[in-house]
Amino acid sequence: MKIKGNLIIFSTDNEERKDVRRLKEKKLQLLLLDDNTFPIFDVKKDEYIKDAATYKMEELFGTSKFYIEQLYTWGDPKYYTNKEEVIVTYLGIINKKNIKTMLKNMDFYDINIENENSKIQKVTLCNDSRKIQYRIETITKRERENIDYINKLVQKSEIDELTAIIIHTGIKRLRNRIENTNIAFSFLNKEFAISELQQIYEIILDKKLIAANFRKKIEPMIKKTNKIVKESAYRPSSLYTFNDAFIRNWV
Amino acid sequence: MKIKGNLIIFSTDNEERKDVRRLKEKKLQLLLLDDNTFPIFDVKKDEYIKDAATYKMEELFGTSKFYIEQLYTWGDPKYYTNKEEVIVTYLGIINKKNIKTMLKNMDFYDINIENENSKIQKVTLCNDSRKIQYRIETITKRERENIDYINKLVQKSEIDELTAIIIHTGIKRLRNRIENTNIAFSFLNKEFAISELQQIYEIILDKKLIAANFRKKIEPMIKKTNKIVKESAYRPSSLYTFNDAFIRNWV
DNA sequence: GCAAAAGTGTTCGGGCTACACCCATGG
DNA sequence: CCATGGGTGTAGCCCGAACACTTTTGC
């Protein structure tokens, strides 16, 4: 069996607000090629897989400022583009401010997830010109005395099943990582307002957080700078940076 | 690049006690081949990787009662046995009571981990005839504005670096899974005493737990049967089973 | 002055920790 | 009857949820 890599890349964008005085709301986005798949890369002989994924990211965006980690290796032959290939997926996070170049055949799509019930999720991906929708079901099954989960597309869709499953897995990984690591900072500039950080948490966890509690919770992870942000808002907020002294033994 | 699989398999054993009246203490164990590596398997064309790992487990132990999940795919060329192969590791858990056959060139080794300091761990693996020791270091580094971890053998050892890293990663995964899933039950019979379950938690988390609190914490995960265990102990304990109704959306 | 965001303080409740205490058993 | 493990109860503490309240700014 041969191996190939692909990349699921998350970013954020600011929603336009009619009332210019209000905070811009962030939304979670995902990179898709025009054919509704993810960027693919080859792994050369004598090359780290992570390096191959890194080079691909650099090729896509013309920068080396981003985060990546391995997501999963897909071993189901029905997903393979080629029956002799296995796909290893890397998860990337990029701050759009760091993007230098964008290829023509790809775009960032807003992600919207609606829980139809505890098992079925309706996912909508859209950019300015296209809107892709699908529903994915999580099936719990007992197998060899152990509980196992399988995800399936409810109907055939524009998007193929492996892509839908990678999106599902990627978002679950983001949700897990944001609680246990510092990945949230990968979406932001080096210096940021607490409300921006809170918005990253909100769009990934898909729920509103209470600012007062959020502030107290992340306080040990950040350091206040003496700068303030001035961007036609009301009371200006201080800028913060990640606190290097904050180390957690994340798994 | 081609792909191969291997298996890190955990189990437990009961320590002999001088005082026969006391509870047998469990210890965490790991399967190693005589050459200090893990069992390897090929992935055939048109075969799920997970199925290939499952067949290998069945071949090793003559049973289909065990747990497996994907651990990680190792993309560092310096670890490859063959420069054109990538290794995907699956993590297995087996209850020794379910083992029907054992091949001759392999054995379960007790695992003992000693934290020399916050960065260096001293690991000892031993069975009746052999004792393997190595020290592994966790190095934190900032890379592209993100914190990354790398594990390295402190000195050359009988065990090769990839094997040491897989053990390290496997134990971290166990510790993460035991807090968020029901894998602990994979080590036990279908019916078990709470103290047995507690011992699984203790040997994986490597710390003593207070029985009264443990009982309350796992209470929603288990169901009491009307059977009791009679094994030359003192007050007999009730037997419990996993409570199927307990479902957590583990990541 | 008012709307909206920045930032602080306080109360409440649930879950974890630590420990005291009773029950059951076999030697 | 006593050592040991099974099992229950409870008091204290910490952390997160909820929310009231003050401060700062632009219009």
Side-chain angles (χ1 to χ4, degrees), chain A residues 1 3 64 73 144 149 250, chain B residues 3 64 70 73 144 149 250:
Chain A
M1 295 293 272
I3 195 158
S64 64
T73 301
R144 273 183 240 92
Y149 290 91
W250 33 74
Chain B
I3 195 158
S64 63
Q70 190 182 111
T73 301
R144 275 183 239 93
Y149 290 90
W250 35 72

Side-chain angles (χ1 to χ4, degrees), chain A residues 144-145, chain B residues 58 63-67 93-95 98-99:
Chain A
R144 273 183 240 92
E145 307 190 18
Chain B
E58 288 169 353
T63 176
S64 63
K65 290 188 179 177
F66 49 74
Y67 169 85
I93 297 174
I94 194 158
N95 175 352
N98 293 327
I99 293 178

Side-chain angles (χ1 to χ4, degrees), chain A residues 57-65 98-102:
Chain A
M57 285 287 282
E58 288 170 353
E59 181 192 323
L60 291 174
F61 303 118
T63 176
S64 64
K65 289 188 178 175
N98 293 328
I99 294 179
K100 295 276 189 303
T101 62
M102 274 286 281

Side-chain angles (χ1 to χ4, degrees), chain B residues 181-182 185 201 218-223 241-243 246:
Chain B
T181 77
N182 62 331
F185 300 95
Y201 276 73
I218 51 104
E219 189 272 326
M221 293 179 73
I222 58 177
K223 264 191 311 202
T241 61
F242 177 65
N243 177 11
F246 181 85

Side-chain angles (χ1 to χ4, degrees), chain B residues 138-226:
Chain B
T138 301
I139 299 162
T140 307
K141 62 168 188 169
R142 291 207 126 220
E143 191 183 72
R144 275 183 239 93
E145 308 191 16
N146 279 286
I147 291 170
D148 225 351
Y149 290 90
I150 286 184
N151 295 301
K152 279 191 174 165
L153 272 185
V154 176
Q155 299 120 336
K156 276 259 173 199
S157 160
E158 293 173 83
I159 220 156
D160 63 72
E161 193 163 78
L162 180 57
T163 305
I165 290 172
I166 291 175
I167 293 171
H168 188 82
T169 310
I171 289 172
K172 278 203 300 180
R173 177 71 62 91
L174 278 185
R175 287 182 182 163
N176 181 277
R177 284 286 189 263
I178 205 170
E179 302 280 21
N180 300 298
T181 77
N182 62 331
I183 57 135
F185 300 95
S186 308
F187 287 97
L188 298 174
N189 298 337
K190 192 165 182 180
E191 298 180 328
F192 51 84
I194 290 186
S195 58
E196 289 183 285
L197 186 61
Q198 181 177 338
Q199 283 189 43
I200 300 295
Y201 276 73
E202 288 180 342
I203 58 179
I204 290 179
L205 298 175
D206 198 24
K207 65 177 177 195
K208 285 280 163 207
L209 301 174
I210 295 169
N213 300 335
F214 181 77
R215 177 175 295 273
K216 276 172 273 185
K217 182 180 158 187
I218 51 104
E219 189 272 326
M221 293 179 73
I222 58 177
K223 264 191 311 202
K224 197 171 186 166
T225 68
N226 50 16

